[in-house]
Amino acid sequence: MSQTIEHIAQALNARAEGDLSIEVTGASEPATAEPDQIALAMSEKYAEGLREGKARAALLWEGADWRALGLEAAVFVTRPRLAMAGLSKAFDPGPNVEPGIHPTCVIDPTAIIGKDAAIGPFTVIGKEVKIGPNARIVGQVTIAEGAQIGSDALIYPGARIGARVLIGDRLVCQPGAVIGSDGFSFVTPDPSGVEEIRHTLEQREEITEQKWSRIHSLGTVEIGDDVEIGANACIDRGTVRATAIGSGSKLDNMVHIGHNVQVGEDCLLCGQVGIAGSTRIGHRVVLAGQCGVSDNITVGDDVIAAGGTNIYTNVPKGRTIWGSPAVKMETQLEINKSVRRLPRLFAQIAELRETVTKLTQKGGTE
């Protein structure tokens, strides 16, 4: 995918200088860049690497002297990661899916496939499924009866989309994701030990043998526009109402969303995040890796939770939290400092105890 420097600058809405007709076929770190690659040197610390590499053009920091760096052209950026988003999009061809429907697919006659959709081998599409135009389904995907997927979807191999799931436009679904599996919801004939302990927060009074009965998942999953679902992520369908993921939200690999959960718009849920049933997550919430969220609580808009945080109670909007149980980040920092001081504190206490003992013994002999 050859791109001119001029085209790259336009795609990034960035200023460019030098020979803008130079064509590049990819991007590289400065020290290893070849003449047909654009070097990524968006900070002064990469200047030396440019001299080691063979790049003719580079993404540079504002104010850089591109001629002195031996370049023939430069694109100047002020926000490197945002520039990376645009540049990577320009060079990413995406998966290779042959146009049309592969002959090994099994598609129910009642399914509606949008214009210019490409569906790869061994895909199974159920009754009354609707798939929007320009969809790309790489292969080995199953889409159950009544599901609806909007336009421009990109679905990678091994994805499983359950019955009656509703998905907006421009879905990106990575390999192995499961959207619309049954919720994990069970009940016993009499109140279980879990219910008793949740109510009393004490030891159980009596232990009785009981069998679990499934609460079936009658709801579905509703996903907005521009949502990305990571590899092996699982989104459970609701018990009665739909589990919902708001537009613009991004779920990383191995994220689990429990039944009835409501996730707002533009959220970022990183790897191994788990959200238990019936919890509500606000808009623009960021949950870093391995965060756990308890059931039936609310996490407000614009909350940021650091990695490994366990959230057991409601969190007000705009708060930054960390720890287990979750507290304000500044509080957790103080807790961490105090924990690191414990060995020294215990040593001081032991020394003080020894001194007191000696003084007591001395006083007793006088």
Side-chain angles (χ1 to χ4, degrees):
M1 293 182 65
S2 178
Q3 306 278 354
T4 66
I5 300 302
E6 181 178 22
H7 182 270
I8 290 172
Q10 291 172 349
L12 302 183
N13 194 25
R15 182 174 63 87
E17 295 180 1
D19 184 358
L20 305 188
S21 66
I22 291 174
E23 291 191 0
V24 290
T25 59
S28 175
E29 294 182 356
T32 57
E34 295 296 328
D36 64 343
Q37 295 176 313
I38 187 169
L40 306 179
M42 295 168 281
S43 170
E44 293 183 47
K45 64 183 179 181
Y46 298 115
E48 190 60 36
L50 280 171
R51 296 184 178 92
E52 297 174 15
K54 301 175 183 178
R56 301 171 63 196
L59 293 190
L60 296 179
W61 65 97
E62 279 289 353
D65 186 346
W66 56 275
R67 294 180 181 86
L69 293 169
L71 298 170
E72 298 174 39
V75 179
F76 298 94
V77 299
T78 56
R79 185 160 167 74
R81 283 185 63 80
L82 186 60
M84 279 296 299
L87 185 70
S88 59
K89 181 179 180 180
F91 283 116
D92 182 10
N96 182 19
V97 188
E98 294 295 325
I101 299 173
H102 195 276
T104 61
C105 293
V106 178
I107 300 178
D108 190 273
T110 62
I112 299 174
I113 310 299
K115 183 181 178 181
D116 296 326
I119 303 178
F122 303 108
T123 293
V124 178
I125 298 177
K127 293 181 179 179
E128 299 179 349
V129 168
K130 294 181 180 179
I131 296 176
N134 303 310
R136 288 185 294 164
I137 300 176
V138 179
Q140 301 180 40
V141 171
T142 59
I143 304 175
E145 65 273 10
Q148 298 182 28
I149 302 171
S151 63
D152 300 293
L154 174 56
I155 304 176
Y156 283 90
R160 310 293 178 221
I161 299 176
R164 305 181 305 283
V165 168
L166 304 178
I167 301 175
D169 297 335
R170 297 174 295 280
L171 167 75
V172 176
C173 185
Q174 298 290 341
V178 179
I179 304 173
S181 52
D182 282 343
F184 191 75
S185 191
F186 297 87
V187 67
T188 51
D190 295 315
S192 68
V194 174
E195 293 174 88
E196 181 182 346
I197 291 172
R198 174 171 278 191
H199 177 69
T200 65
L201 300 180
E202 296 177 355
Q203 290 295 320
R204 299 161 65 179
E205 292 184 1
E206 182 181 359
I207 297 177
T208 58
E209 293 184 5
Q210 298 192 76
K211 300 295 184 181
W212 296 102
S213 296
R214 168 185 286 276
I215 298 176
H216 289 257
S217 301
L218 305 180
T220 184
V221 177
E222 296 178 356
I223 295 177
D225 299 332
D226 301 298
V227 170
E228 299 199 15
I229 309 296
N232 297 319
C234 295
I235 304 174
D236 292 349
R237 63 177 59 250
T239 304
V240 177
R241 72 169 187 262
T243 302
I245 309 294
S247 294
S249 288
K250 318 297 182 186
L251 280 61
D252 195 3
N253 300 342
M254 295 193 291
V255 167
H256 179 215
I257 307 296
H259 61 276
N260 303 335
V261 168
Q262 309 290 296
V263 176
E265 297 180 357
D266 297 307
C267 293
L268 202 65
L269 309 182
C270 302
Q272 299 184 352
V273 161
I275 303 176
S278 299
T279 281
R280 182 177 295 272
I281 306 294
H283 302 309
R284 300 171 301 278
V285 170
V286 177
L287 302 180
Q290 295 189 329
C291 282
V293 186
S294 189
D295 61 295
N296 292 281
I297 64 172
T298 298
V299 177
D301 296 346
D302 302 296
V303 166
I304 298 175
T309 295
N310 289 322
I311 304 172
Y312 301 119
T313 57
N314 296 339
V315 182
K317 65 180 181 180
R319 182 159 292 181
T320 302
I321 56 175
W322 187 21
S324 179
V327 293
K328 291 181 180 179
M329 180 168 281
E330 55 267 31
T331 302
Q332 186 61 43
L333 286 169
E334 290 302 316
I335 291 171
N336 290 353
K337 291 177 183 177
S338 297
V339 169
R340 288 198 298 269
R341 295 187 186 111
L342 284 177
R344 183 174 61 187
L345 176 62
F346 284 129
Q348 291 172 340
I349 291 173
E351 184 180 348
L352 180 61
R353 181 185 296 149
E354 184 178 351
T355 301
V356 171
T357 301
K358 289 180 178 178
L359 290 174
T360 302
Q361 292 172 347
K362 182 179 179 181
T365 59
E366 290 178 353

